């Protein structure tokens, strides 16, 4: 196992860092306050190549291996302070793009992947429902086949990118009596008749990443938009969740590294009681813990990336990676506020936003409790 | 039309490394004014007025990352003159003259200065050595008379000066000429297939030796912290007696 970057990887990572720090960090405080998605930055990321990182070259992507991909996303998180934008990109990559890459028909890939890679199309997924969250497979949205179409009925909640998405991967059951085996995935384009992207949801953090409730009322989906097999939705979802858990917090590792550096700088500069606050053991020890959290998170991330790239089973590792990084990110951002004292609590220092953004990482892609359940079951408990 | 764009690798100005400390390779970038020159060359090609853009730089293999960045932006091919010495503007201009003679471009577009040493001399010396006309600190370029002449706007303290010059010529770029595009990942991958020709000074037939030597680089002295005065009277006394400004 070797995590030393080749010259090519290093150049790619440096290019990501330079691009992100120069092109993506404007109006972040304002957009966070108002809940505005930076569409311009999304398009730039597309033309730069972010959304195509893990997509095969024949479908308009860069064909990067998982380790290089997570390292690039880590660098993106380090250099770009708009966690909401990055969350939208992650949701797009792991809940729409990856399922298409692995389960899409040639025609579906041809139709959607180039646009999803180059920034012209935005994707997302709709799994969670008002009454099925952690127990996702108890969903009740139905898809009934009528001729050459499926008719969808039901309601979805917490749909990241919902208000801006061109394409949603929607999960519904073709036959409730079949339980998990009835769950199927559909590619639903925006403005499909019968699909209603309703209320935009106001949230604590990741405020620059828009989210909506979506209703389906006799929504017609052509049969060629079935993604994977009829009844194959649960398998497809589990697979894309594994990708998502392994990769979605790569940018959080970068964001933790940035927080760490910010805190070291602040602790050296800020003087109280006649010395830099970093000289107080109580402050220094917080920074040491931050450092250990960043490094352990990074190693779990790279290890996941390496395993995934070598086609090893990563079900357990993805859950542990997600669980660990989420905990670390929340703790690091809380400590960062503490180290900055009253200033850390002020919006203009851009530290408090980090905590608000970090907290959701313990909820999406399966709550931390659910990750623990997975690890426990993999340990034979 | 063929455009030659000389560029220099400099420590990243957005990364506050002290000039005297060795900047690590990953913290180097293309000199921002040269990046503007590259961008201008690309735009000239995109509007159909140029067919080939050749980049040239002088340095050790560590500058290959900046060369690939130039190729990723869209430069067709690059030449690296393999010389790791700290050269002064005259030496650089002499090497570039040899490259110009080898490549025979119709126009050389380059930054007005490098942000590390701020010499602002290479373009001018190169024009002198070649006996070519020059337009410096340029904020717009347009080609006339079937690309035999160029009309450039120069930014001077007195205002905007418009000059016309015969080609071949040297043009040096100012900040407001354009805003360079960013290096994209697909561009970076394409750049790997573009050729980088490595030549020594011997191979291009020049023997240079810096005429000036940098003796030392030092941080500016730290400014002492300000002092607080108790009253307006004390302030006026200090301004009179200590600062001697009133
Ligand atoms: C920012 C954000 C973005 C999201 N984006 C999307 C999206 O794009 N698409 C989508 O479909 N969904 C999305 N979600 C929804 C997310 O997947 C759910 O919130 C999550 O799965 C939890 O479901 P729930 O909110 O219904 O909570 P519940 O499942 O009701 O859980 C409530 C609490 O009970 C605990 N709990 C539940 N079951 C168990 C159990 N078996 N063992 C132990 N504890 C348990 C949970 O851990 C949690 O603490 C997003 C959520 C957030 C916060
Ligand atoms: C919501 C809010 C309301 C406020 N309202 C008021 C108000 O109405 N009036 C008012 O006067 N002030 C107010 N404050 C300011 C507040 O009292 C200060 O923020 C607090 O005393 C910390 O000071 P500081 O922010 O300068 O941080 P610093 O003192 O610079 O502390 C920075 C970090 O260093 C640590 N540190 C500092 N010294 C030591 C030490 N000796 N040993 C170990 N660790 C140390 C701190 O614990 C902290 O983690 C308010 C602050 C907030 C957040």
């Amino acid at each position: 196992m070797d995590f030393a970057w080749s010259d090519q990887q290093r150049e790619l990572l440096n290019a990501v860092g330079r691009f992100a720090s120069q092109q993506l960090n404007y109006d972040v405080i304002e957009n966070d306050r108002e809940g505005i998605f930076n569409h311009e930055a999304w398009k730039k990321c597309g033309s730069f190549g972010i959304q195509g990182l893990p997509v095969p070259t024949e479908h308009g992507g860069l064909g990067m291996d998982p380790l290089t991909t997570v390292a690039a996303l880590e660098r993106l998180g380090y250099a770009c302070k708009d966690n909401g934008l990055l969350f939208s990109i992650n949701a797009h990559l792991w809940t729409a793009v990856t399922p298409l890459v692995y389960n899409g028909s040639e025609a579906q890939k041809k139709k959607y992947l180039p646009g999803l890679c180059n920034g012209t199309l935005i994707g997302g997924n709709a799994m969670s429902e008002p009454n099925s969250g952690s127990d996702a497979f108890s969903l009740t949205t139905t898809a009934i086949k009528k001729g050459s179409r499926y008719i969808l009925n039901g309601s979805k909640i917490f749909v990241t990118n919902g208000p801006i998405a061109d394409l949603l991967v929607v999960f519904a059951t073709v036959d409730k009596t079949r339980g998990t085996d009835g769950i199927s995935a559909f590619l639903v384009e925006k403005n499909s008749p019968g699909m209603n992207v309703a209320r935009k949801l106001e949230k604590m953090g990741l405020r620059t990443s828009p989210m909506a409730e979506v209703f389906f009322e006799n929504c017609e989906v052509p049969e060629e938009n079935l993604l994977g097999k009829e009844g194959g939705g649960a398998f497809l979802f589990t697979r894309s969740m594994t990708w998502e858990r392994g990769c979605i917090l790569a940018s959080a590792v970068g964001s933790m590294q940035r927080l760490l550096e910010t805190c070291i700088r602040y602790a050296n500069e800020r003087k109280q009681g006649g010395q830099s606050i970093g000289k107080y053991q109580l402050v220094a020890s917080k920074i040491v813990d931050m450092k250990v959290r960043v490094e352990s998170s990074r190693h779990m991330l790279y290890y996941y990336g390496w395993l995934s790239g070598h086609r090893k089973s990563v079900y357990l590792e993805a859950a542990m990676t997600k669980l660990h990084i989420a905990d670390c990110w929340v703790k690091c951002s809380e400590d960062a506020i503490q180290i900055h004292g009253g200033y850390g609590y002020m919006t203009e220092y851009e530290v408090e936003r980090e905590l608000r953004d970090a907290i959701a990482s313990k909820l999406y892609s399966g709550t931390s409790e659910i990750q623990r359940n997975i690890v426990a079951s993999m340990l034979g408990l | 039309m063929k455009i030659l764009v000389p560029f220099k690798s400099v420590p990243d100005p957005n990364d506050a490394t002290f000039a005297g400390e060795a900047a690590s390779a990953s913290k180097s970038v293309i000199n921002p004014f040269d990046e503007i020159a590259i961008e201008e060359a690309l735009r000239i090609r995109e509007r159909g007025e140029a067919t080939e853009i050749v980049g040239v730089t002088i340095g050790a293999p560590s500058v290959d990352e900046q060369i690939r960045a130039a190729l990723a932006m869209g430069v067709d091919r690059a030449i690296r003159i393999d010389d790791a010495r700290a050269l002064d503007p005259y030496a650089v201009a002499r090497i570039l003259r040899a490259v110009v003679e080898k490549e025979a471009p119709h126009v050389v577009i380059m930054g007005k200065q490098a942000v590390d040493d701020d010499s602002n001399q290479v373009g001018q010396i190169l024009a002198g050595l070649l006996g070519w006309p020059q337009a410096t600190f340029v904020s717009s370029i347009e080609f006339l008379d079937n690309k035999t002449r160029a009309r450039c706007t120069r930014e001077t303290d007195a205002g905007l000066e418009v000059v016309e010059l015969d080609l071949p010529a040297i043009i040096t770029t100012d900040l407001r000429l354009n805003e360079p595009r960013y290096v994209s990942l697909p561009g970076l991958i394409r750049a790997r297939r573009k050729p980088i020709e490595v030549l020594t000074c011997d191979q291009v037939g020049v023997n240079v030796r810096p005429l000036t030597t940098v003796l030392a680089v030092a941080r500016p002295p730290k400014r002492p912290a300000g002092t607080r005065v108790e009253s307006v009277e004390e302030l006026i006394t200090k301004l009179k007696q200590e600062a001697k400004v009133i």
Side-chain angles (χ1 to χ4, degrees), chain B residues 56 58 79-82 94-103 197-208:
Chain B
V56 56
I58 306 167
I79 300 169
R80 176 167 65 80
I81 303 296
D82 188 33
R94 284 188 55 219
I95 294 173
L96 292 181
R97 172 176 63 178
V99 176
V100 168
E101 282 166 355
K102 175 176 174 298
E103 289 289 335
E197 188 183 359
V198 181
L199 297 169
T200 60
C201 286
D202 271 355
Q203 283 170 310
V204 290
V206 278
N207 177 8
V208 296

Side-chain angles (χ1 to χ4, degrees), chain A residues 206-240:
Chain A
L206 301 174
R207 293 176 53 82
T208 59
S209 169
M211 178 191 265
E213 254 178 297
V214 181
F215 299 110
F216 298 93
E217 215 181 326
N218 294 322
C219 171
E220 294 187 8
V221 179
E223 66 180 347
E224 64 266 23
N225 280 24
L226 173 72
L227 181 62
K229 289 199 293 273
E230 204 179 88
F235 171 75
L236 184 151
F237 181 72
T238 304
R239 184 184 210 172
S240 91

Side-chain angles (χ1 to χ4, degrees), chain A residues 87 91 95 124-136 156-162 171 203 205-206 209 211 237 241 244 360-370 373:
Chain A
F87 182 68
T95 72
N125 92 338
M127 174 52 127
S128 305
E129 298 182 359
N131 293 318
S132 67
S134 297
D135 187 12
K156 296 288 181 182
I157 194 163
F158 303 139
V159 181
T160 295
N161 293 347
F171 293 88
K203 42 187 191 341
L206 301 174
S209 169
M211 178 191 265
F237 181 72
M241 279 310 263
E244 182 172 338
S361 65
K362 291 177 152 192
L363 299 171
Y364 53 70
S365 317
T367 64
S368 288
E369 289 76 15
I370 295 303
N373 288 352

Side-chain angles (χ1 to χ4, degrees), chain A residues 7-12 14-16 18-19 22-23 43-45 47-50 53 62 64, chain B residues 12 14 25-29 64-66 68-69 179-186 188-189 192:
Chain A
D7 284 353
Q8 297 188 7
Q9 286 169 315
R10 200 169 30 73
E11 278 177 29
L12 180 136
N14 287 341
V16 171
R18 203 158 292 139
F19 160 75
Q22 288 172 6
Q23 305 287 333
K43 287 190 205 145
K44 282 184 183 171
C45 286
S47 66
F48 175 77
I50 297 293
L53 276 168
L62 296 174
M64 292 294 156
Chain B
D12 188 346
N14 295 315
S26 66
K27 290 202 175 133
S28 296
V29 294
D64 280 358
E65 183 167 345
Q66 283 69 56
R68 266 190 294 276
E179 200 179 308
R181 67 199 62 191
Y182 46 82
V183 169
S184 74
L185 298 183
L188 207 54
I189 290 166
R192 301 212 152 267

Side-chain angles (χ1 to χ4, degrees), chain A residues 98-115:
Chain A
T98 331
L100 255 169
V101 168
Y102 288 97
N103 304 85
S105 66
E106 262 327 291
Q108 289 169 340
K109 292 184 194 180
K110 246 208 182 95
K111 181 164 179 199
Y112 298 116
L113 281 176

Side-chain angles (χ1 to χ4, degrees), chain B:
Chain B
M1 188 165 75
K2 176 174 177 177
I3 306 176
L4 184 75
V5 186
F7 59 91
K8 182 180 185 181
S9 168
V10 299
D12 188 346
N14 295 315
D15 191 286
T17 3
F18 170 54
E21 293 154 11
S24 71
S26 66
K27 290 202 175 133
S28 296
V29 294
I30 298 173
N31 171 42
F33 289 108
D34 298 342
E35 215 173 16
I36 292 172
I38 293 171
E39 176 66 31
E40 196 61 18
L42 297 174
R43 291 184 189 190
I44 292 166
R45 189 183 60 193
E46 280 159 7
R47 54 178 198 247
E49 293 182 316
T51 45
E52 190 183 22
I53 303 167
V54 183
V56 56
T57 191
I58 306 167
S62 61
V63 304
D64 280 358
E65 183 167 345
Q66 283 69 56
I67 298 181
R68 266 190 294 276
L71 294 172
M73 284 175 78
V75 167
D76 295 302
R77 63 184 172 88
I79 300 169
R80 176 167 65 80
I81 303 296
D82 188 33
D83 194 323
R85 290 176 294 170
L87 298 169
D88 59 16
Y90 183 63
V92 171
R94 284 188 55 219
I95 294 173
L96 292 181
R97 172 176 63 178
V99 176
V100 168
E101 282 166 355
K102 175 176 174 298
E103 289 289 335
H106 298 86
V107 59
V108 175
I109 307 179
M110 59 203 287
K112 67 169 182 178
Q113 70 197 60
V115 297
D116 54 352
D117 57 21
D118 284 336
S119 290
N120 186 342
Q121 296 180 48
V122 174
Q124 293 88 327
I125 299 175
L126 178 61
L129 291 174
L130 289 164
W132 285 10
Q134 58 178 302
T136 52
F137 314 140
V138 158
S139 62
S140 82
I141 304 174
E142 118 191 58
F143 295 101
L144 315 166
D145 303 336
N146 202 19
K147 289 176 279 184
T148 56
R149 292 170 65 71
R151 179 184 291 155
C152 299
T153 308
R154 300 185 60 232
E155 299 203 333
T156 71
D157 287 344
L160 297 180
E161 181 183 281
V162 180
V163 295
E164 279 189 24
L165 52 164
D166 289 332
L167 298 190
I170 307 288
I171 297 174
T172 75
T173 60
D174 214 324
L175 208 55
R176 274 166 292 276
L177 180 57
N178 60 50
E179 200 179 308
R181 67 199 62 191
Y182 46 82
V183 169
S184 74
L185 298 183
L188 207 54
I189 290 166
R190 274 196 300 277
R192 301 212 152 267
R193 292 192 289 270
K194 294 182 179 177
I196 302 177
E197 188 183 359
V198 181
L199 297 169
T200 60
C201 286
D202 271 355
Q203 283 170 310
V204 290
V206 278
N207 177 8
V208 296
R209 171 177 70 75
L211 297 182
T212 51
T213 313
V214 176
L215 296 180
V217 181
R219 275 181 195 277
K222 256 214 165 97
R223 277 223 322 240
T227 50
R228 244 170 224 281
V229 291
E230 295 298 325
S231 63
V232 176
E233 288 71 40
E234 192 189 337
L235 175 67
I236 292 174
T237 315
K238 277 185 186 283
L239 287 175
K240 278 187 175 152
Q241 292 172 2
E242 285 178 30
K244 297 196 169 65
V245 289
I246 55 174

